[in-house]
Amino acid sequence: MVVLEVGTGAGFSTAVLARLVGRAGWVITVEPVPQLAGCADAMLADRLDGNVVELRLADACGAPEHGPFDRIVGWYPMRVVPRAWCAQLHPKGSIVVPLAPAPLAAAGLLIHISVGEKGVPRVREVFEACLPPREAPGRVRGAPPQWGVDVLDYDESARPWWLSSAWMRTPDGYQAGRGLLHCLIRNREHVAGPLGADESVADFRAWLLATGAEGITTCGTEPWGIGWSDPEGVAVVDSSCGARSLAAGSPRAIEVLTGWVQDWRDAGRPGAAQLGARLVEVHDGWRLQAALA
């Protein structure tokens, strides 16, 4: 088996892939960040017995000269499946990559994709997964995502906080977003609910992303959260504990979030596995379109 990995990171996932393919297989791994590539090269040299990995400093287009690949595994959350990947895949191969169904930071769902005879990809499975951060040596733990952050600030401990929401992408929205984030850092409240202790925040997150509702917001330091915001207030469900939320500003924010949770319950508490997902062709590849089944 020949595998293309896009996003070597520190090299640990590469080592796992090398063990899985065995001595008869081959892993081509590409990493665009020089610091990460150097770290991974040293780690792989120490841990792997045998020449089953080739590490390349390259962009996300892959390694067409080594294709076709039986599997392509991507680790960086992406907005599209690149055309180059589909062209490099064996007809019976598959792709696994985190794709964002909404233009928000930390909004990726893990997608299992196959490619037909004409090179057109289709979704085989959608599922939630906790992806490790692809962090360069010396990068602050909890550093914001590399894509999709709209406003960023730091608390008194120099810990980064961020917000991502479509309404913040105008000059006035950006200024309002900065004020809202400032309020969140300094005046945040921890609120019980609106999810119950036995309810899945991962399923609620997947459903909410598929609704495309106005005001969807992702928020983070560590851990991140998902919820609702407007210029007056924000409320997000804590990803590590769905029975707890973080809120600041207008109480309307927690009211909207609570209403969304009730809508999700009324729909039967669907998760990623119950979403109707397809790939829509755009100029540079295929974009994920998730909808309620």
Side-chain angles (χ1 to χ4, degrees):
M1 178 177 289
V2 182
V3 177
L4 170 66
E5 179 187 44
V6 180
T8 315
F12 294 105
S13 56
T14 313
V16 172
L17 289 171
R19 298 293 185 188
L20 290 173
V21 302
R23 290 181 178 274
W26 189 253
V27 177
I28 308 297
T29 182
V30 298
E31 172 56 55
V33 181
Q35 301 97 312
L36 280 173
C39 179
D41 192 35
M43 193 282 292
L44 292 170
D46 289 340
R47 290 175 179 251
L48 293 184
D49 180 21
N51 187 26
V52 298
V53 172
E54 180 176 329
L55 171 62
R56 302 182 58 189
L57 182 63
D59 61 23
C61 289
E65 67 276 20
H66 292 288
F69 296 99
D70 300 295
R71 301 288 186 272
I72 298 177
V73 180
W75 294 113
Y76 291 108
M78 304 180 73
R79 284 291 287 149
V80 299
V81 180
R83 294 182 185 276
W85 289 17
C86 298
Q88 294 172 55
L89 191 69
H90 189 279
K92 294 184 178 180
S94 59
I95 297 170
V96 177
V97 61
L99 287 179
L104 300 169
L109 297 171
L110 206 56
I111 313 298
H112 183 199
I113 297 166
S114 62
V115 177
E117 293 181 358
K118 296 182 179 181
V120 178
R122 67 179 182 88
V123 176
R124 296 181 60 180
E125 188 177 6
V126 182
F127 49 96
E128 279 280 351
C130 182
L131 299 176
R134 320 299 287 178
E135 295 182 344
R139 191 167 185 247
V140 177
R141 182 171 175 79
Q146 295 175 322
W147 179 87
V149 170
D150 290 301
V151 291
L152 172 68
D153 203 349
Y154 296 84
D155 63 19
E156 62 277 2
S157 301
R159 185 173 56 166
W161 288 72
W162 54 268
L163 289 171
S164 176
S165 192
W167 66 262
M168 300 177 188
R169 293 165 194 166
T170 66
D172 289 344
Y174 173 73
Q175 292 301 326
R178 290 194 62 182
L180 184 63
L181 182 58
H182 182 88
C183 178
L184 180 66
I185 292 172
R186 288 156 180 80
N187 302 309
R188 61 188 180 274
E189 296 181 79
H190 293 279
V191 182
L195 289 174
D198 60 341
E199 292 180 316
S200 169
V201 64
D203 286 349
F204 172 69
R205 171 182 177 270
W207 172 86
L208 185 56
L209 289 170
T211 68
E214 185 176 355
I216 294 178
T217 301
T218 53
C219 163
T221 176
E222 190 176 358
W224 54 263
I226 188 168
W228 181 87
S229 74
D230 72 359
E232 304 299 323
V234 58
V236 295
V237 175
D238 187 329
S239 65
S240 67
C241 176
R244 180 178 61 207
S245 298
L246 199 63
S250 169
R252 179 169 179 255
I254 199 70
E255 293 172 3
V256 173
L257 181 59
T258 300
W260 279 352
V261 169
Q262 188 57 53
D263 291 343
W264 171 69
R265 289 170 178 154
D266 293 343
R269 297 180 175 88
Q274 287 76 47
L275 296 183
R278 65 190 185 101
L279 294 167
V280 179
E281 190 170 10
V282 293
H283 72 282
D284 52 351
W286 286 267
R287 178 167 292 174
L288 177 66
Q289 185 175 81
L292 305 179

